[in-house]
Amino acid sequence: MDRSWMKLSRVSNAYQNGVQTFLNFAFQNASQGNMILCPCKKCGNIYWHFREVVYEHLIVDGFIRGYKKWIFHGECTSSGISSTINPTYPDTDYHHQYVRQDDMEDMLRDAFNMRSHGEQSFPPDFIISEDCNITGNVFCETGTSAPNEEPNEEAAKFYNLLNEMNEELYEGSKYSKLSFCIRLFHLKCLGGWTGNSFTMLLEFLREMFPFAKIPQSCQDMKRLIKDLGLGYDKIHSCPNDCMLYWGDQKNQQSCHVCGKSRWMNSNTEDVNTDEGGAQLRKKPVKVLRYFPLIPRLQRLFMSSKTAESMTWHNDQRTDDGLLRHPADSLAWKSFDSKFPSFASDPRNMRLGLAADGFNPFKIMSTSYSTWPVVLVPYNLPPWICMKQSLFILSMIIPREKGPGNDIDIYLQPLIEELKQLWSGVETYDVLRKENFNLRAALLWTINDFPAYANLSSWSTKGRYACPCCAAQTCSKWLYNGKKFSYMGHRRWLDENHKFRFQRTLFDGTEEYRGAPEQTVGSEILFMLKDINFSYGKMNQPPITQIRRRSRDESDDESNEEDDPNEAEL
């Protein structure tokens, strides 16, 4: 069947006639009570409508992206297995039963990074039958059979939550067991209830409603909600950014660099006792919130839509020499040629890291800087990978001031996971119904110039501020302005460009030099091999910093006098 009309303008007669052809096919093969699933961009094959409504939606909004095989309207898949959707919902109450009022579907999709791309509704990738179970009868695709391999532990959590989502709190309830637990736990957090008081409330509710499926205790409810994967690790850190209390140093009570205590108003003890003998838990001075990366990457392969998009750069990208996606860049291609084993599996992920500070209180007079670190999965298509819903929050670094060069201290857990991902972790691919070894690599960082200095450990201030030119940076100290000026940009022009010979328009000199050679990674490692890094912000009096700056400026001036080539600039 010719479907070229789907790409035409929605006001053309060919498109409108094609919509009528689609409606005739859909109502003949997949209608339910004179209604079908609407495939427009807003409904996303979720909501049931009559023919006139579907026709109007398709004319106004158009089809969802990529819906060229009408598997939700009676068309069989290429494998010959029918994908017709025929849920048995009563005609009079179809909307109430098919669309959940508690919106648990959207919450699960957001929690497991499984939202349908380009739509804001819950896609029908996973249709779980009433008698399904994790070990044998999970229907990952509508109408398909059970996977050839059993899902791993992380994937099984998601499927189990889908079952909890469809399990009613009691017969006839508008709340599911999962939505009830989340709503009640939300009230606990807002009201500041203790765990014991919350458990007593649950016991009272079970006595009042013995027919309801209410958790036994606060711990049981936390265990259920924990599978959403919304948690994070709290890692204590030194107030001077010297170290993390993590790994082998997890149980230390004070910093081994500066000697500062780990706890507020404390020497070394973890727990104090009040006058009555009760134990009082002390608060750490500074806490890093770290969101584990590996489970979040694994979840991208738990949905057939996201799993298919993870190989878009290899399967569907147009390779015509134009730069439309990071996969078209020289950096991507150079990385693939250098590590062919990594590039052999298109599911292996390329990541970008973005970091910067902001004031969460939106008060300019308040000095506070929180630094989020975000990862971007570049395997996805360009219209998806930069959407906020696909960003992966890695950590939140709190501090009155930015971490500066000490950000390396806080990146340790992320670097450890990236090393593990380079070797590979077992991941379940729902599209291919198999477990595979997922690998990942960090290719780029996204940040402004000051943050670039913190992440790259190259100072973007002073005489050699350009990280690309390095020691060949053209800089000149302005005696009156008391700052550096960076000239010599004409070096990158063609040899015979007229700007090279125009003295009066620039600095009074003609430029005959060529562009500086780019410093390669091996040269950078050679320059850094004998450097000893020491992290931490030891308290220094402001006068020391002023003296240091004055000394640096005087050194710069004396260097310029000694170097005649620099003086010409």
Side-chain angles (χ1 to χ4, degrees), residues 163-404:
N163 290 332
E164 298 285 351
M165 178 192 70
N166 293 322
E167 184 179 1
E168 291 184 343
L169 183 63
Y170 57 87
E171 186 177 356
S173 173
K174 67 177 182 179
Y175 287 102
S176 65
K177 179 181 178 181
L178 180 61
S179 62
F180 169 79
C181 292
I182 293 176
R183 180 70 178 274
L184 196 60
F185 194 79
H186 185 211
L187 295 177
K188 171 192 179 297
C189 297
L190 293 178
W193 304 344
T194 63
N196 291 334
S197 64
F198 191 61
T199 299
M200 289 187 289
L201 174 62
L202 293 177
E203 293 175 354
F204 174 70
L205 291 176
R206 285 203 318 275
E207 293 177 1
M208 184 177 295
F209 307 103
F211 48 85
K213 302 174 183 178
I214 300 176
Q216 298 288 330
S217 63
C218 179
Q219 293 299 325
D220 293 340
M221 183 173 291
K222 285 183 178 181
R223 196 174 298 111
L224 174 64
I225 298 176
K226 185 179 180 181
D227 290 340
L228 289 172
L230 301 177
Y232 56 87
D233 298 333
K234 292 183 180 180
I235 304 176
H236 300 174
S237 66
C238 172
N240 290 326
D241 301 335
C242 303
M243 60 166 290
L244 285 180
Y245 296 97
W246 173 76
D248 296 338
Q249 302 170 339
K250 182 178 181 180
N251 297 323
Q252 286 187 205
Q253 302 301 315
S254 61
C255 177
H256 63 271
V257 178
C258 65
K260 289 286 186 179
S261 175
R262 177 178 184 171
W263 312 100
M264 291 184 179
N265 301 323
S266 172
N267 293 324
T268 56
E269 294 296 331
D270 182 1
V271 177
N272 277 349
T273 57
D274 59 11
E275 296 179 355
Q279 289 186 345
L280 299 176
R281 180 70 59 178
K282 290 186 177 180
K283 294 183 179 180
V285 177
K286 191 174 182 181
V287 179
L288 167 70
R289 270 77 177 179
Y290 180 71
F291 301 82
L293 173 63
I294 292 177
R296 285 164 172 80
L297 296 184
Q298 291 173 328
R299 287 171 192 158
L300 291 173
F301 292 91
M302 292 183 191
S303 168
S304 60
K305 283 186 177 294
T306 50
E308 182 179 6
S309 298
M310 294 308 293
T311 59
W312 178 91
H313 65 93
N314 182 76
D315 302 336
Q316 305 179 41
R317 178 176 59 90
T318 302
D319 190 5
D320 55 1
L322 299 179
L323 184 60
R324 298 188 180 92
H325 187 269
D328 299 319
S329 66
L330 293 177
W332 188 298
K333 296 177 181 178
S334 175
F335 182 84
D336 287 351
S337 61
K338 190 174 182 179
F339 303 100
S341 61
F342 185 95
S344 61
D345 191 343
R347 293 174 293 187
N348 291 332
M349 299 191 62
R350 282 81 168 175
L351 301 173
L353 183 146
D356 203 356
F358 74 101
N359 189 336
F361 304 109
K362 299 182 180 179
I363 303 176
M364 298 305 295
S365 60
T366 301
S367 177
Y368 197 92
S369 179
T370 295
W371 278 66
V373 177
V374 179
L375 294 171
V376 183
Y378 281 120
N379 287 37
L380 299 169
W383 57 86
I384 297 174
C385 64
M386 295 304 295
K387 284 187 176 293
Q388 183 178 356
S389 59
L390 269 299
F391 289 168
I392 302 174
L393 181 62
S394 178
M395 67 181 67
I396 300 177
I397 306 173
R399 188 177 171 83
E400 290 76 8
K401 296 182 180 179

Side-chain angles (χ1 to χ4, degrees), residues 56-184:
E56 179 181 354
H57 286 188
L58 294 178
I59 296 298
V60 175
D61 301 319
F63 285 85
I64 57 177
R65 184 188 295 272
Y67 190 57
K68 296 181 179 180
K69 184 174 288 295
W70 302 332
I71 59 175
F72 300 113
H73 297 87
E75 187 170 6
C76 296
T77 61
S78 58
S79 60
I81 303 175
S82 176
S83 296
T84 304
I85 299 179
N86 289 311
T88 57
Y89 296 122
D91 299 341
T92 58
D93 198 22
Y94 73 97
H95 192 277
H96 172 75
Q97 296 193 26
Y98 190 79
V99 182
R100 301 192 62 88
Q101 295 182 353
D102 51 26
D103 208 23
M104 284 294 102
E105 294 93 340
D106 281 343
M107 187 200 67
L108 288 180
R109 285 293 180 187
D110 290 336
F112 283 80
N113 284 331
M114 295 183 182
R115 178 166 292 282
S116 176
H117 306 316
E119 306 148 21
Q120 297 301 321
S121 54
F122 182 78
D125 289 319
F126 295 94
I127 303 297
I128 307 298
S129 62
E130 296 180 356
D131 59 345
C132 74
N133 57 74
I134 299 303
T135 57
N137 296 322
V138 177
F139 288 81
C140 301
E141 290 285 350
T142 305
T144 60
S145 59
N148 298 330
E149 294 186 29
E150 294 184 1
N152 57 24
E153 181 181 357
E154 188 65 21
K157 289 181 181 179
F158 176 75
Y159 301 141
N160 186 47
L161 282 175
L162 287 177
N163 290 332
E164 298 285 351
M165 178 192 70
N166 293 322
E167 184 179 1
E168 291 184 343
L169 183 63
Y170 57 87
E171 186 177 356
S173 173
K174 67 177 182 179
Y175 287 102
S176 65
K177 179 181 178 181
L178 180 61
S179 62
F180 169 79
C181 292
I182 293 176
R183 180 70 178 274
L184 196 60

